[in-house]
Amino acid sequence: ERRRASTADLAGRHVVVSAGGTREPIDPVRFIGNRSSGRQGVALAAAALARGARVTLVAANLADDLLAPLRRAGADVVEVSSTAELRSAVRGAATTADVVVMAAAVADFRPATAPGAKIKKVAGRAPAPIELVENPDVLAELATDRLRAGQVVVGFAAETGDDDGTVLEHGRAKARRKGADLLVVNAVGHALGFGTADNDVTIVDGAGETVAVAAGSKREVADAVWDAVSSISSTI
Ligand code: CTP
Ligand code: CA
């Protein structure tokens, strides 16, 4: 069964969606970021609103023109920038959430220190290396902690195939590692994924088994994700 968007199957439910890409400060004017536009997360939030949910969107560096329509449609938008801010906003909202979807591209590493003043170049001197430390894995923590009983936790995995495996093989292994209930696996790179209108995904469960496949607009993929959430959840 696809596309239950016409029914209010998420009425009375609180869903939290993280979207966008985190920025890790190097100094007050520079950051380490990524190419996530946040469009898939925005589509997830819009679809959930259309299906009757109360929606909290934790928006990491999203363009204002993406956020304005969601605000008008009644979403509670929390703007964040770094992974630390995103983690705290997601966990705060998750205490009342039936579903948390981590669609944000979260930086795996951050600079170990972020000086309060701009780093200056010195003529003829090589720049100091930027030491990185690992960020907490927000999704894995949510899957372990289950901040509300019965909460459904959903992750996204943007993969490229490589010598170690295909996109789907990497996605299945990631699903088993993360402990989330669902992982939405999509291929990125070249013309796929980041910044594009269309998406092509495989939704797998925590054991890495395929639950659904979806291709089309980000809104169609979003509805397929909510369909999968509905079908695995006993509380929805
Ligand atoms: N994620 C997270 N916290 C992090 C890194 C990732 O919550 N520090 C979440 C993302 O929001 C996404 C999922 O984990 O829902 C998978 O992210 P991805 O980058 O594909 O997986 P990683 O475990 O970071 O593995 P790698 O980047 O090495 O492929
Ligand atoms: Ca990562």
Side-chain angles (χ1 to χ4, degrees), residues 103-179:
V106 180
D108 293 328
F109 308 105
R110 69 178 184 278
T113 57
K118 187 182 167 191
I119 298 168
K120 301 296 286 180
K121 68 185 174 198
V122 179
R125 192 190 293 170
I130 298 171
E131 189 194 340
L132 300 178
V133 295
E134 195 167 353
N135 271 329
D137 189 322
V138 180
L139 176 66
E141 285 180 347
L142 289 166
T144 302
D145 297 349
R146 304 289 165 161
L147 293 171
R148 183 178 166 187
Q151 182 172 84
V152 176
V153 175
V154 183
F156 269 72
E159 301 285 352
T160 58
D162 60 21
D163 291 346
D164 294 328
T166 63
V167 165
L168 201 51
E169 285 163 352
H170 282 297
R172 293 191 201 287
K174 189 169 287 179
R176 293 189 285 267
R177 275 201 308 277
K178 292 276 186 180

Side-chain angles (χ1 to χ4, degrees), residues 39 117 150 169 184 196 200 208 220 223:
R39 287 176 195 282
E169 285 163 352
V184 184
T196 63
D200 189 344
E220 286 170 311
D223 273 313

Side-chain angles (χ1 to χ4, degrees), residues 10 15 44-55 69-71 73-75 226:
L10 297 176
V15 309
L44 282 157
L49 286 167
R51 295 166 78 135
R54 176 161 89 83
V55 175
L70 285 175
R71 284 201 175 97
W226 294 122

Side-chain angles (χ1 to χ4, degrees), residues 16 23 42 54 124 165 172 196 208 213:
V16 176
R23 294 178 178 178
V42 164
R54 176 161 89 83
R172 293 191 201 287
T196 63
V213 293

Side-chain angles (χ1 to χ4, degrees), residues 19-106:
T22 61
R23 294 178 178 178
E24 307 301 315
I26 295 170
D27 69 13
V29 295
R30 305 182 177 99
F31 58 83
I32 298 174
N34 63 70
R35 296 187 187 281
S36 175
S37 69
R39 287 176 195 282
Q40 184 62 69
V42 164
L44 282 157
L49 286 167
R51 295 166 78 135
R54 176 161 89 83
V55 175
T56 303
L57 180 71
V58 177
N61 307 295
L62 261 62
D64 285 340
D65 62 340
L66 288 177
L67 294 178
L70 285 175
R71 284 201 175 97
R72 280 197 295 274
D76 183 9
V77 177
V78 184
E79 291 190 80
V80 298
S81 185
S82 67
T83 297
E85 291 168 7
L86 177 138
R87 176 177 180 273
S88 131
V90 167
R91 291 179 67 85
T95 58
T96 58
D98 299 284
V99 188
V100 183
V101 181
M102 285 293 299
V106 180

